[in-house]
Amino acid sequence: MVQGFLLKYAEIGIKGKNRYKFENALCEQLRIKLSKIDGDYNVVRGQGRIYAEAAGDFDSDEVIETLKRVPGISAISPVEVVEDKSWDNVKKEAGNFIEKQYNNTDFSFKVKSKRSDKHYIYTSPEICIEMGAYLLSRFEGLKVDVHNPDVYIWVEIRDKAYIYSKVYKGAGGMPLGTAGKAMLLLSGGIDSPVAGYMISKRGVNLDAVYFHAPPYTSERAREKVVALAKQVSRYAGRIRLFTVNFTDIQMYIYEKCPHEELTIIMRRYMMRIAERLAVHNKCIGLVTGESIGQVASQTMQSLAVTNEVCSMPVYRPLIAFDKQDIVNIAEKIGTFETSIQPYEDCCTIFVAKHPVTKPEAEVIRNSEKKIEEKIEEMLKIAINTAEITEVDE
Ligand code: ATP
Ligand code: MG
């Protein structure tokens, strides 16, 4: 008898010939994640699902919480793997399993069964009947309810017998490492960490870039961003965070360009720098936390003008989300409390009282001509002096 966790996945199942690649990537991610907590784990593939067999000192709740953060898994169930699948033994182990999983047995249940071993002494319906009768005789308080049971008890007879009942919802999505890498523009706000989490759930690895403007933005503001990157990395895996000093560029724009265009021009330079860093680091897309209409720099006109400076795709997973929906996700993934710490962001210093809300590309391009002289050199310096922090959970 082996204790473990049965992991089901949704979308990988429809991958046809490439399925094994996705399964292997998922197993790899599971091994990385499980190596960070107590216990010894053996991750094995089998018939459209994955088992993480557990040994040594492990805390089942901690394992489940860890597995819930692995993209690609749709459901997690503690499972008992029974090697000796003779019926008497399976019955007994199923009873032991119920004893371990539930403090009291005052609930209704239904046995569900699957059998891929067609030579087994019982058919699936017989397994349900026999197991139901056994459990009723062994536990007081148990009742059968075939229509609306409190608890389903699964008995699967395959190469071995598998018994499970509780089902926890997984993160869903696709395994990390199956999609390529993207550069996340990570600020200290609520939105961009959520955007990073959502993209990583599709199997995308992340690098991140943060623009600061010392001394106008503080070291504490930067530490907050590192903390956010760390929280995102609990889902997204290791993140390389580039911190770019944006002060000189920002001051230069402030000096030369119309103040009501400051934000939009700044955003264009952020995108340009992010794209160059992305290219250098083999990222094939940019990710931002923008959402239509949220602020002046996120009207459709502003987004269009921001977007035109990049040729790389810019992914905006929150584009149609309401703020409250974003906040709900931020709370779920644990970034909200950090995001609302009140530190200044470089976007909020020097901002005009009445920024343009419907910028025209032609006008903005003309304004940018005023900084032609030195801007290229400044961009190079900003990129070359970017500081790198390796962030992991
Ligand atoms: P967030 O909550 O993510 O900061 P926001 O609502 O404050 O977003 P903006 O400040 O307009 O919106 O920023 C839009 C997007 O631009 C952010 O979601 C983020 O992806 C990027 N961004 C803004 N400021 C920075 C920064 N200092 N460093 C890196 N990226 C930034
Ligand atoms: Mg912001």
Side-chain angles (χ1 to χ4, degrees), residues 190-192 194-195 198 267 287-303 314-327:
I190 295 169
D191 306 326
S192 45
V194 173
M198 289 186 63
R267 306 250 340 117
V287 182
T288 75
E290 291 159 315
S291 159
I292 292 176
Q294 205 189 71
V295 286
S297 59
Q298 296 175 32
T299 61
M300 282 182 70
Q301 291 82 357
S302 295
L303 288 166
V314 181
Y315 297 105
R316 299 179 170 93
L318 308 179
I319 199 67
F321 276 49
D322 292 350
K323 193 73 185 187
Q324 188 56 48
D325 298 331
I326 301 170
V327 165

Side-chain angles (χ1 to χ4, degrees), residues 89-362:
N89 191 50
V90 172
K91 261 187 346 194
K92 192 183 78 209
E93 293 295 2
N96 296 347
F97 179 75
I98 301 299
E99 224 156 47
K100 250 192 319 196
Q101 291 281 307
Y102 298 97
N103 294 330
N104 73 67
T105 49
D106 208 5
F107 54 76
S108 62
F109 77 105
K110 175 179 182 174
V111 179
K112 302 266 262 178
S113 120
K114 256 192 207 149
R115 169 185 89 134
S116 63
D117 173 1
K118 297 297 173 198
H119 301 295
Y120 201 65
I121 57 160
Y122 292 130
T123 62
S124 290
E126 286 166 350
I127 291 171
C128 293
I129 293 166
E130 292 293 325
M131 185 61 84
Y134 171 77
L135 294 175
L136 281 175
S137 71
R138 177 158 163 185
F139 295 106
E140 242 171 68
L142 269 191
K143 290 175 292 291
V144 172
D145 183 342
V146 289
H147 299 297
N148 194 17
D150 298 325
V151 164
Y152 285 98
I153 295 164
W154 286 88
V155 179
E156 299 189 1
I157 307 289
R158 300 170 181 272
D159 54 333
K160 301 166 190 165
Y162 298 84
I163 301 158
Y164 60 96
S165 117
K166 290 183 180 169
V167 181
Y168 300 89
K169 198 170 176 330
M174 302 298 292
L176 278 176
T178 56
K181 192 166 66 162
M183 180 66 74
L184 169 67
L185 284 88
L186 181 63
S187 69
I190 295 169
D191 306 326
S192 45
V194 173
Y197 155 76
M198 289 186 63
I199 284 287
S200 71
K201 235 157 62 77
R202 298 306 304 170
V204 179
N205 287 100
L206 293 178
D207 280 345
V209 54
Y210 165 58
F211 296 91
H212 71 160
Y216 304 101
T217 64
S218 62
E219 192 52 31
R220 293 296 296 276
R222 180 181 173 176
E223 284 163 12
K224 171 181 165 181
V225 174
V226 175
L228 287 171
K230 220 172 160 60
Q231 281 154 344
V232 174
S233 77
R234 296 173 76 225
Y235 296 86
R238 188 131 55 90
I239 295 175
R240 251 178 154 213
L241 173 66
F242 296 86
T243 301
V244 171
N245 188 327
F246 205 49
T247 313
D248 290 347
I249 294 173
Q250 215 171 336
M251 297 295 275
Y252 189 40
I253 301 171
Y254 186 70
E255 227 171 77
K256 304 276 184 189
C257 301
H259 288 181
E260 64 278 11
E261 294 171 9
L262 174 68
T263 305
I264 190 83
I265 294 176
M266 239 170 59
R267 306 250 340 117
R268 282 160 62 98
Y269 280 98
M270 282 187 182
M271 298 302 272
R272 288 177 173 115
I273 293 174
E275 183 173 40
R276 291 199 207 175
L277 279 172
V279 170
H280 286 165
N281 291 282
K282 302 198 164 59
C283 296
I284 54 175
L286 300 177
V287 182
T288 75
E290 291 159 315
S291 159
I292 292 176
Q294 205 189 71
V295 286
S297 59
Q298 296 175 32
T299 61
M300 282 182 70
Q301 291 82 357
S302 295
L303 288 166
V305 174
T306 310
N307 202 58
E308 73 158 12
V309 301
C310 300
S311 56
M312 189 175 272
V314 181
Y315 297 105
R316 299 179 170 93
L318 308 179
I319 199 67
F321 276 49
D322 292 350
K323 193 73 185 187
Q324 188 56 48
D325 298 331
I326 301 170
V327 165
N328 292 347
I329 301 174
E331 283 175 336
K332 189 182 89 178
I333 64 173
T335 53
F336 184 71
E337 286 302 315
T338 311
S339 288
I340 59 172
Q341 289 172 13
Y343 296 113
E344 61 297 319
D345 180 72
C346 70
C347 285
T348 52
I349 53 174
F350 312 126
V351 288
K353 275 214 183 72
H354 300 288
V356 284
T357 53
K358 292 185 180 160
E360 280 174 46
E362 196 51 43

